[in-house]
Amino acid sequence: MKVWKSIKAALYVAVAVLIIIFREPIVENVKYLVGSLMIVYGLEKAILCLVERHEKFELYNLIWGVIEVSIGIITMLLIEVYSSVCVIWAIWAILREAKEVEEDILEFKEKTVVCVLSLIESAVAIVFSVLLMIHPTEHHAMTHIYLLSVELVTAVLFPHINYLIEKKKAKE
């Protein structure tokens, strides 16, 4: 798992940088970004569920991963209306952030600093997702692309911060 976390960190940061660099063509073809992200997130969730047998909600995560992959494929291949892709992206983001908020609340006493940062990031993501649902335009999709880049970096940064905090606590 340590190897996967290192590979994931490098990939997420690289993708975040590429998304910022190629934001203009990406925003024009947002269905491929959203669809491929859903597929990658779903595959990771399903595969990790199968590999890590100790996970508490194993079946839930497996089903959620399969659904994410399915919706990602449908988004890439069958959805043609730009605003529909934006609404799918917004709803998917809100659902992911809701799960993140739940995890942050459950871990709040142990990892206060990172949980607060993560809760703030989730609140911002939810607000911008609602705006994307209300106004599913390229302008709001571009804002969401910037937010996505930040989310990709924080997704790998926050666990490293947690690790450093736990290591420091262990020394004390």
Side-chain angles (χ1 to χ4, degrees):
M1 280 295 69
K2 232 179 189 183
V3 173
W4 169 240
K5 287 181 181 179
S6 298
I7 292 170
K8 179 180 174 179
L11 285 174
Y12 275 34
V13 171
V15 168
V17 170
L18 289 172
I19 287 172
I20 293 298
I21 292 171
F22 297 108
R23 65 190 174 276
E24 294 295 331
I26 288 173
V27 80
E28 293 169 7
N29 300 288
V30 77
K31 75 179 198 169
Y32 298 108
L33 172 69
V34 174
S36 60
L37 282 172
M38 291 178 101
I39 291 168
V40 168
Y41 275 62
L43 284 174
E44 179 188 17
K45 188 171 293 287
I47 291 169
L48 288 179
C49 180
L50 295 172
V51 171
E52 294 181 338
R53 304 298 282 170
H54 59 72
E55 195 167 329
K56 187 176 180 183
F57 298 107
E58 187 176 307
L59 184 59
Y60 169 83
N61 284 329
L62 180 62
I63 292 169
W64 181 262
V66 170
I67 290 171
E68 277 183 307
V69 170
S70 302
I71 295 173
I73 291 168
I74 290 167
T75 300
M76 284 179 29
L77 300 179
L78 301 176
I79 308 293
E80 294 298 329
V81 179
Y82 194 89
S83 59
S84 297
V85 175
C86 290
V87 171
I88 290 168
W89 190 8
I91 292 170
W92 179 57
I94 290 169
L95 293 172
R96 278 191 351 269
E97 293 303 330
K99 184 69 175 157
E100 187 82 21
V101 168
E102 176 191 16
E103 291 170 4
D104 290 338
I105 290 171
L106 292 174
E107 295 179 346
F108 191 77
K109 288 183 181 178
E110 300 162 9
K111 303 170 182 176
T112 307
V113 175
V114 176
C115 287
V116 168
L117 293 174
S118 184
L119 285 168
I120 292 168
E121 184 265 329
S122 291
V124 169
I126 290 169
V127 168
F128 280 105
S129 294
V130 169
L131 290 174
L132 184 60
M133 282 176 33
I134 295 170
H135 302 289
T137 62
E138 281 191 25
H139 170 73
H140 287 281
M142 182 63 79
T143 303
H144 225 67
I145 285 173
Y146 288 121
L147 183 60
L148 171 64
S149 296
V150 171
E151 286 180 32
L152 289 171
V153 172
T154 59
V156 294
L157 182 64
F158 287 167
H160 288 292
I161 293 171
N162 274 339
Y163 173 75
L164 293 174
I165 290 171
E166 288 173 6
K167 192 173 178 182
K168 184 179 177 183
K169 283 181 182 179
K171 285 184 180 179
E172 294 172 352

